[in-house]
Amino acid sequence: MKYLSTRGLAPTKTFTEILLGGLALDGGLYLPEEYPQVTREELDAWRNLSYADLAFAVMSKFAPDIPAADLKAITDKTYTQAVYSNARADSDTRQIAPLRTLEPGLHILELSNGPTLAFKDMAMQLLGNLFEYALERQHGELNILGATSGDTGSAAEYAMRGKHGIRVFMLSPHGKMSAFQTAQMYSLQDPNIFNIAVRGVFDDAQDLVKAVSNDHVFKAEYHIGTVNSINWGRISAQVVYYFKGYFAATASNEEQVAFSVPSGNFGNICAGHIARQMGLPIAQLILATNENDVLDEFFKTGIYRPRGTAQTFHTSSPSMDISKASNFERFVFDLVGRDAAKLREFWSQVDTGGAFNIKDTPYWDELPSFGFVSGKSTHQDRLETIRATWENYGVMIDTHTADGLKVGIEQCRADLPLICLETALPAKFEATIIEALGREPERPAGMEGIENLPQRCEVMDAEVEALKAFIAGNVPG
Ligand SMILES: *Cc1c(COP(=O)(O)O)cnc(C)c1O
């Protein structure tokens, strides 16, 4: 299988070739030339597989260029109970991504039991092992440079810690993350993990990363790469849990379901779209946004209008505070019938700060056939949903999952079972839980005192030269 660029002007590549890279040379995102199909027989055979075996079955379709025995070893090593055990005390951690039924037909898929208590661990842990494998084979090395305001950075660090051939240089805004998030990242003592606390805000850290990445000479000399949400390895690994959730919530492969997905960069729900294109019986993909509702606006009006940073709100579901959804281009490529020229036309608007509108095009009439519906949730909705879920079911959920549950219940067709993806555990967002419930969230065993562990980080002014010097000083020449 080969991968093509959404912009249509870059050569096709294999899974392994795109694994370590970012955007295609023409600025597009990679997608399979054709989505692999899952037959009814395969669905039957997959229904009772363990998560690791299911991951192997799904990933084999996306990465046929990795020898089966090697891929099997990687999925077996990744999806273990030991890696995904940071769960609620009553979770069934013998399973990876267990389904929790709130009431008949209403479920939560627990995707946040990994090392950083967020769903990003589901894909990132696999990516760490895939990267190490690919680098070993090509005798290469990779220095991952990124900026984080919380979730992505810590998931990347926990995935890459101790991996051969890989170093992580992660920038974060000095003193701006919660004590828990700071402790999660800065307490890592692995010599290949470098936390850099930048004096400034998240955007300052982000600008530094961009400046270094735009210095192509430095980038090549120091093997600089990223693990951001457009990485195809991450998207493909996320497809797996849609299958897992479907099997857990249904008794037969005749049934249809709805998934509700708290969305920011459109990575998670893009994987749902792909699972549906492969033949998984998903009737509805329910996209939930917070006050940053650029995606809800698109599905309601046909207008995609990314916002500037000044119009991007800081909310109590911060991992969904995006102005522009970096994976959305993948879906629109399918929506326009894979017409790369059309896609380029739309994105020439987006890339220059504009918008596009599909309302008066044939694409608007095609949209319902993709199964998407959307809705928006506010701070008040989050508080109420967290409270109602606690009172009615005795289950504490985080703020992002609350957005998904609120919009999911609102938008789900009455005849469908609803599977809400849990994207983080409440322990990560203590302040809002206390605001909603007047009590602290439960912490997974072993995480009680992490704020008291010794921390290791380099504090730095927001200066490009200082960052380059730090990287150069820590990468053996
Ligand atoms: C990253 C993240 C999201 C948004 O996921 P996308 O793939 O960007 O749509 C939602 N909730 C949490 C907790 C996250 O960390």
Side-chain angles (χ1 to χ4, degrees):
M1 179 202 294
K2 288 279 198 159
Y3 289 83
L4 46 68
S5 163
T6 50
R7 308 254 174 129
L9 301 174
T12 59
K13 297 200 166 187
T14 65
F15 181 89
T16 314
E17 284 167 345
I18 61 172
L19 179 67
L20 299 169
L23 292 175
L25 283 174
D26 59 3
L29 305 183
Y30 285 109
L31 276 176
E33 276 184 324
E34 275 172 16
Y35 291 119
Q37 295 300 302
V38 179
T39 63
R40 191 44 65 92
E41 291 69 39
E42 278 172 316
L43 275 184
D44 290 339
W46 289 6
R47 179 165 273 280
N48 295 312
L49 294 182
S50 69
Y51 196 94
D53 288 343
L54 185 60
F56 172 65
V58 173
M59 294 304 295
S60 299
K61 294 200 175 264
F62 291 121
D65 51 321
I66 299 181
D70 295 353
L71 186 59
K72 181 83 171 66
I74 291 169
T75 47
D76 279 351
K77 172 173 155 187
T78 304
Y79 295 108
T80 66
Q81 187 175 0
V83 173
Y84 295 94
S85 60
N86 284 321
R88 294 182 183 81
D90 68 340
S91 287
D92 179 10
T93 53
R94 287 167 309 173
Q95 288 185 58
I96 313 294
L99 190 80
R100 178 182 291 271
T101 297
L102 299 180
E103 63 180 50
L106 179 61
H107 315 275
I108 285 181
L109 188 62
E110 295 186 18
L111 302 177
S112 306
N113 299 342
T116 73
L117 317 188
F119 86 99
K120 293 188 171 70
D121 293 327
M122 293 301 297
M124 203 75 93
Q125 289 288 318
L126 182 71
L127 203 66
N129 289 324
L130 283 170
F131 273 24
E132 183 175 55
Y133 169 80
L135 288 165
E136 259 164 23
R137 302 236 308 184
Q138 61 198 54
H139 307 291
E141 59 174 80
L142 180 67
N143 293 303
I144 294 169
L145 177 63
T148 189
S149 51
D151 282 355
T152 312
S154 56
E157 291 186 351
Y158 280 79
M160 305 298 165
R161 61 189 294 202
K163 296 279 188 282
H164 297 287
I166 304 176
R167 288 178 206 85
V168 178
F169 295 89
M170 192 56 68
L171 280 58
S172 50
H174 185 46
K176 301 282 191 311
M177 295 187 297
S178 73
F180 182 82
Q181 283 178 315
T182 307
Q184 263 192 324
M185 291 178 58
Y186 297 3
S187 67
L188 288 178
Q189 301 295 334
D190 306 76
N192 72 327
I193 303 295
F194 300 91
N195 281 299
I196 301 169
V198 177
R199 291 193 189 91
V201 294
F202 170 71
D203 288 327
D204 298 317
Q206 180 93 310
D207 287 346
L208 285 181
V209 169
K210 281 187 194 148
V212 171
S213 302
N214 287 335
D215 180 341
H216 297 288
V217 175
F218 185 89
K219 197 178 166 192
E221 184 178 352
Y222 290 99
H223 310 285
I224 303 288
T226 54
V227 281
N228 53 25
S229 80
I230 58 144
N231 180 284
W232 172 254
R234 285 179 65 183
I235 303 284
S236 57
Q238 289 172 179
V239 171
V240 179
Y241 53 71
Y242 283 87
F243 283 88
K244 157 78 206 205
Y246 174 81
F247 293 135
T250 58
S252 93
N253 299 325
E254 308 298 321
E255 291 173 51
Q256 300 270 336
V257 300
F259 279 98
S260 152
V261 188
S263 293
N265 272 317
F266 205 84
N268 197 354
I269 202 161
C270 185
H273 161 68
I274 292 166
R276 187 173 184 273
Q277 296 294 313
M278 293 170 76
L280 190 66
I282 300 174
Q284 281 187 306
L285 284 166
I286 304 172
L287 181 145
T289 71
N290 62 20
E291 290 87 338
N292 296 293
D293 57 355
V294 45
L295 290 167
D296 183 39
E297 180 175 70
F298 173 80
F299 286 101
K300 293 231 164 79
T301 67
I303 299 169
Y304 181 57
R305 189 200 329 254
R307 324 255 164 96
T309 25
Q311 299 137 280
T312 308
F313 306 110
H314 292 282
T315 74
S316 48
S317 45
S319 300
M320 293 155 65
D321 291 347
I322 58 98
S323 46
K324 191 188 234 180
S326 47
N327 279 292
F328 188 51
E329 180 172 337
R330 286 193 159 108
F331 169 67
V332 174
F333 184 59
D334 286 338
L335 178 64
V336 300
R338 299 200 146 200
D339 178 348
K342 194 72 201 170
L343 196 285
R344 287 200 300 277
E345 187 189 316
F346 284 161
W347 255 264
S348 70
Q349 309 285 329
V350 170
D351 289 341
T352 51
F356 64 83
N357 185 354
I358 64 159
K359 191 60 174 267
D360 297 316
T361 72
Y363 310 127
W364 180 250
D365 305 316
E366 286 296 318
L367 191 55
S369 71
F370 287 90
F372 280 87
V373 289
S374 73
K376 160 182 176 175
S377 162
T378 64
H379 181 69
Q380 199 55 38
D381 294 323
R382 284 189 275 288
L383 296 181
E384 282 165 20
T385 308
I386 290 168
R387 246 176 246 137
T389 310
W390 178 245
E391 280 162 16
N392 298 338
Y393 310 112
V395 175
M396 209 184 277
I397 57 170
D398 95 292
T399 51
H400 306 76
T401 308
D403 289 330
L405 189 59
K406 185 253 175 190
V407 174
I409 290 171
E410 213 168 70
Q411 301 283 339
C412 187
R413 255 169 45 194
D415 61 316
L416 295 173
L418 173 61
I419 303 164
C420 296
L421 300 190
E422 173 160 71
T423 57
L425 284 185
K428 281 199 105 161
F429 300 96
E430 251 168 30
T432 312
I433 300 299
I434 293 171
E435 186 182 346
L437 302 178
R439 59 190 292 164
E440 284 182 15
E442 163 195 22
R443 277 210 187 168
M447 294 219 158
E448 282 84 8
I450 66 163
E451 288 94 336
N452 304 323
L453 295 173
Q455 297 190 0
R456 184 174 148 259
C457 90
E458 178 79 13
V459 182
M460 199 181 280
D461 286 327
E463 283 167 10
V464 181
E465 291 314 314
L467 176 58
K468 283 184 184 166
F470 182 78
I471 294 172
N474 285 290
V475 175

